[in-house]
Amino acid sequence: MEGLLAKALTIQEKLKEWRRHLHMHPELSFQEAETAKYVESILRNYKNVKVEKGVGYPTAIVASIHAGNGPVFAIRADMDALPIQEENEVDYKSIVPGVMHACGHDAHTAILLGAVHLLSEYFEQNQIQGTVKFLFQPAEEHVDEHGLSGAAYMVRAGVLDDSDGVIALHMNPESPYGEVWIHDGYSMSNVDVFRGEIKASGGHGAYPHLGTDPIYMLSLVLQHIYSLTGRRLSPLDAGVVSVGKIQSGATSNVIPSSVNIEGTIRSFKPEVRKKLFSEVENAFSIVKNFGGEYDLQFIQEDPALYNDPEINRLLKEVIHSLQPDIDITDKPFGLGGEDFAHMTRKKPGAMFFLGCSLMDDKVRNLHTPHFNIDERVLPLGAAIFAETAIRFLTRKNAENRGGVGCAASQSNKFGKHENGLIPSLGRHR
């Protein structure tokens, strides 16, 4: 049987069709009703694929392929879009005003559908024990009024309770097709929000000495906040505090009685997260020295993304076997957030970043109106997903049978198989 990448290339046009349909019909977080219907309509074409709707949230879908008793491996794709007006002039441009797939979730979803296609056929034609679960997740970009995102809801619903591992990917417009970013350990940050209100008496703008001024107090709070990562946090620790929203006052000659401020706190390590919370609290407490009071709230949205080194090692083996000339770069993905972190806290898992830059003269960064991708990543991503699932199940089954060879070096060796490469019976720990 031909290799999985070759088979994925035979459905490249179908992958593009799926991705472009999704791109034209984007839906915001928690509103992915038509997206979910479209995904379901495709999944129903595969007789050996079980489809469950509303797992954890009404727009979530879990598909699965099952063959006998064995390990369970999960693959996740997010489906939501962003409130951005698209400025690309392409025939599959978003038809929804002010909404755009500017983070690649249309590609993620199409790639996962491609993995379903490849694995459906593989399970029909090969003897393999275990289950692959395909998690089509809503609401990665935002949390709701309860502070929960799509991944958090699906994890709460138990979608990973029976899983032995989970993977996901993300588009990366910072690198071209043929480059993949994979990093062990903490690779994306905690995402936390702080919301504060500084309260004072306010007064007449001509007589500031007769009252207390919350805007003046805010200027002192901001000085402390902006000095945190340079003076209160070690330069060896990744962390940042940014203010994104300040609201106060109604007219030029009235000192208001309050000012509201909102910002984001990003970090990798739990101890750094705790330290930054404490320092932001200290910054607000300055106002008490000037006759002010404050309220402060911290909202913990997403944990830091931790990539399991063993899952990453398997991903690297798969990628190099499918396309040996791919350049794998080992670097953290930055202080952006990713709610897939809820899943990797639950089970061993990893996310990799797939280079997708069009390499033209446009700036096509994530979350921008010109974001777009090199669609050659679609079959490559689908093949990586499918091959990783096959190898994971095969290796885990061997481990559960007490397979021969338990040296760490042996667990890296792979033998020939009619559908590419599969792991030897060496134990994987």
Side-chain angles (χ1 to χ4, degrees):
M1 184 184 293
E2 59 184 318
L4 279 178
L5 181 55
K7 293 189 73 64
L9 288 169
T10 67
I11 61 167
Q12 185 166 12
E13 292 305 311
K14 181 64 69 176
L15 291 167
K16 289 168 62 176
E17 175 189 330
W18 293 337
R19 183 253 165 171
R20 292 184 178 192
H21 174 91
L22 293 167
H23 192 88
M24 289 180 66
H25 303 87
E27 294 177 296
L28 296 174
S29 300
F30 301 107
Q31 300 176 28
E32 308 90 346
E34 294 304 315
T35 299
K37 288 179 183 178
Y38 182 73
V39 168
E40 182 189 0
S41 72
I42 295 168
L43 293 172
R44 296 294 183 190
N45 293 322
Y46 302 100
K47 295 181 180 179
N48 60 344
V49 175
K50 177 184 176 182
V51 180
E52 299 176 81
K53 299 185 293 183
V55 181
Y57 197 81
T59 54
I61 293 179
V62 175
S64 58
I65 304 176
H66 176 73
N69 296 321
V72 179
F73 190 64
I75 314 174
R76 171 271 204 176
D78 38 13
M79 302 188 295
D80 54 330
L82 286 159
I84 295 174
Q85 180 64 44
E86 182 163 13
E87 295 180 12
N88 290 314
E89 294 302 327
V90 292
D91 57 6
Y92 52 90
K93 182 177 180 178
S94 170
I95 62 172
V96 182
V99 183
M100 175 192 175
H101 272 294
C103 201
H105 297 187
D106 52 342
H108 303 169
T109 302
I111 287 170
L112 188 54
L113 287 169
V116 173
H117 180 100
L118 296 173
L119 287 168
S120 173
E121 185 175 282
Y122 186 91
F123 269 70
E124 285 183 344
Q125 298 178 356
N126 294 270
Q127 292 186 349
I128 186 169
Q129 296 292 305
T131 300
V132 180
K133 299 176 78 170
F134 308 91
L135 314 180
F136 293 90
Q137 179 208 304
E140 189 278 328
E141 295 289 356
H142 295 287
V143 298
D144 64 6
E145 65 275 13
H146 306 295
L148 298 176
S149 67
Y153 276 112
M154 294 184 79
V155 169
R156 282 189 172 195
V159 72
L160 290 178
D161 287 356
D162 60 350
S163 297
D164 298 290
V166 59
I167 59 171
L169 60 70
H170 204 293
M171 295 294 100
N172 181 16
E174 295 183 38
S175 61
Y177 174 85
E179 182 176 330
V180 180
W181 290 4
I182 296 178
H183 182 72
D184 293 346
Y186 290 115
S187 302
M188 297 187 77
S189 76
N190 297 296
V191 178
D192 302 306
V193 173
F194 69 91
R195 293 174 181 157
E197 181 183 16
I198 299 172
K199 302 174 183 178
S201 66
H204 195 299
Y207 308 103
H209 58 289
L210 299 180
T212 53
D213 185 346
I215 295 178
Y216 166 67
M217 296 177 199
L218 173 63
S219 70
L220 304 175
V221 171
L222 291 176
Q223 287 183 54
H224 188 75
I225 286 177
Y226 286 132
S227 71
L228 293 183
T229 55
R231 291 295 179 267
R232 302 298 295 166
L233 189 68
S234 168
L236 300 179
D237 288 323
V240 69
V241 182
S242 293
V243 174
K245 183 178 179 181
I246 296 173
Q247 288 184 324
S248 185
T251 189
S252 63
N253 64 344
V254 176
I255 297 172
S257 60
S258 67
V259 58
N260 292 283
I261 175 175
E262 187 170 324
T264 188
I265 303 174
R266 305 297 176 102
S267 59
F268 285 150
K269 300 176 183 177
E271 61 270 24
V272 174
R273 187 185 210 183
K274 184 178 180 181
K275 172 74 170 176
L276 289 173
F277 279 21
S278 176
E279 291 296 339
V280 170
E281 180 85 36
N282 288 339
F284 274 85
S285 70
I286 293 171
V287 306
K288 291 184 176 181
N289 297 322
F290 299 90
E293 297 292 334
Y294 72 93
D295 291 327
L296 181 62
Q297 177 187 19
F298 294 101
I299 302 166
Q300 298 184 25
E301 293 190 351
D302 295 326
L305 172 66
Y306 184 86
N307 287 324
D308 182 80
E310 292 299 309
I311 300 288
N312 271 347
R313 183 171 62 161
L314 179 57
L315 282 167
K316 291 174 185 177
E317 293 168 354
V318 166
I319 291 167
H320 276 147
S321 70
L322 291 171
Q323 195 160 318
D325 60 345
I326 278 187
D327 179 17
I328 295 181
T329 299
D330 182 355
K331 62 183 294 187
F333 309 147
L335 290 173
E338 170 56 67
D339 83 335
F340 181 62
H342 290 284
M343 296 188 177
T344 63
R345 288 184 78 184
K346 180 73 174 180
K347 296 290 182 175
M351 169 178 279
F352 60 97
F353 270 55
L354 203 55
C356 68
S357 172
L358 286 172
M359 303 299 287
D360 58 13
D361 60 351
K362 289 280 189 183
V363 176
R364 301 186 185 277
N365 293 331
L366 298 173
H367 293 215
T368 64
H370 289 105
F371 175 81
N372 208 347
I373 67 168
D374 182 337
E375 291 182 317
R376 289 182 294 171
V377 301
L378 301 177
L380 176 61
I384 293 171
F385 272 170
E387 183 72 16
T388 302
I390 292 167
R391 293 190 185 204
F392 185 93
L393 296 184
T394 305
R395 177 172 286 175
K396 200 72 176 176
N397 278 319
E399 179 183 329
N400 292 341
R401 291 195 300 268
V404 298
C406 59
S409 60
Q410 286 183 328
S411 68
N412 268 330
K413 296 180 180 179
F414 289 76
K416 284 289 184 181
H417 186 268
E418 64 180 357
N419 193 30
L421 298 171
I422 63 169
S424 68
L425 297 182
R427 185 178 297 277
H428 180 74
R429 301 183 65 85

